Amino acid sequence: MKDHMFSSIKSFDFESVILTPQPMYGKEAEIVAAVRRMLRGVRSGCCCANHWAYLAGRGTFLMDNIMHNRSAFSIVSALCLLLVSLSAHAVDFSPNSTVDLPDFNPGDGSCQTAPTNPECTLRAAIMEANALAGADRILLSGGTYTLTIGGTDEDGAETGDLDITDDLSILSAPGVLTTINAGALDRVFDVQGSADTTFSGLIISGGDATISASAAYGGGIRSGSTGTVLLQFCKLEFNRADAGGGLWKFGGPVEIHYSSLHGNQAIAGSTNPEGAAIRVEGGLLRIENSSIYNNSTVGNTGNIGSISAKNGDIRIFSTTISGDNTFGINAYRSSLLLQNVTVTRNVRQGLAWTTINGESRGLFIRNSIIADNDANNGFEPDCLLNSKPGDTVDIDGHNLSGDNSCGFAASSGNLVATDPLLEPLNTSLLLPVHLPSGNSPVIDAGSPLDPTSGNPEACFQFDQLGRERETGRCDIGAVERLLLFRDGFDP
């Protein structure tokens, strides 16, 4: 299968794919779209391993055990790094020290902490990348980088958080996770201007934006940049902020692929505690094949919840959102699309979606579970939907709700006021899931349409763990039970 998969990739004429004028549909269109997205990332110096995943996934290979098998992760990551090495980027920096020291002379093209010292630190590499024009890369090879230079609200990466002001990709070696811990001195990353940033293979932790005197947003990553933030194969964990405990983005797109956000916290302070894991204001948020779990909020005002959005376009696919002490998703004045999403066991509500007159927002839900979110013995509904005239609400198609609050019709394959019979969150996986129990009603209850067709009514082609779904055998929710145990271990 691998040989066939790679020969198929090699058979593409990349230039004609980019320039081709004829319309394409189904699987061909999806592959071409992936190639286009991949090459756009290459031109900006990004390592878009998720795009390789799309291509590789035309067979059953798609990171066949991406979150179980490091060799698969290594293959995909190595392909990505090889491709990016052929692209036009300014400079690569490879830190050789995990201590936290600034660069001696930013802009001279040499990452070193003193004139005669070849020591290159992560902070020094970022300072050099900021000073040099072009899409630079920082290549890491594991270990833990802990920030130790105090000093908030400085924007040159000399103290406190790691400020990024120009296009930059920070990439861990194939098959290796590299930890960057802020040590509660400040947030971890602050992306500014119009910078495009890619974070790949990183554990981003220990950020605390609440100590900032000016803007306590984004504990792990704050981005006021109009550029794109791409997060892939990453873990954002144990960060905190007044808003956006894990990540805060104002304008510009965010893409999250095969990543987890957990243990992050939003705390009432200079602003409402909005977005324990993610807070976006404007722009596109796209999440695929990820797990957002056990985040929390301190305070009870504003758009609280694990994912909080205002004036955004939110699209979530094959993702679990679980264990928040308030809401799972809280979307205000935003369009929202859920496809094969599991929103469960959040203490208050699973989904809150509120619009205002005259903005014509959209809500689209397919093949998703919103159930078991109330820990208050029935006092809170699974959904709180408040639409206005002019909105487009399209929510009937193989969904399951735990009560009657989500507005799903008792037809179109929906299961209303139904217990999904999900198992506890399996945190032994890098992307924790609630697996359907053996007698769960969600098994094979998803859309019978071909998941490879690109039809939005169909199931998303890959489940949360990267397994390709089959026509007529799709489960409702983020993960396929039968596919997870395809090799005979299913009880």
Side-chain angles (χ1 to χ4, degrees), residues 202-225:
L202 306 180
I203 300 174
I204 299 171
S205 65
D208 187 352
T210 65
I211 62 176
S212 171
S214 60
Y217 307 140
I221 300 170
R222 178 179 74 171
S223 176
S225 166

Side-chain angles (χ1 to χ4, degrees), residues 40 57-58 78 96 176 185 187 282 285 436:
R40 285 199 300 271
R58 298 320 94 191
N96 56 26
V176 176
L185 286 173
R187 70 178 54 82
L285 170 64

Side-chain angles (χ1 to χ4, degrees), residues 7-8 75 85 110 113 116 159 233 281 299 312 326 422 440 451 475 480 485:
S7 65
S8 297
I75 290 170
S85 71
S110 179
T113 58
T116 59
T159 66
F233 312 121
E281 299 183 23
T326 58
L422 302 178
S440 170
D475 295 352
E480 296 286 312
F485 296 100

Side-chain angles (χ1 to χ4, degrees), residues 293-294 424-433:
Y293 66 100
N294 295 351
L425 190 71
N426 184 347
T427 56
S428 67
L429 302 174
L430 290 179
L431 296 176
V433 298

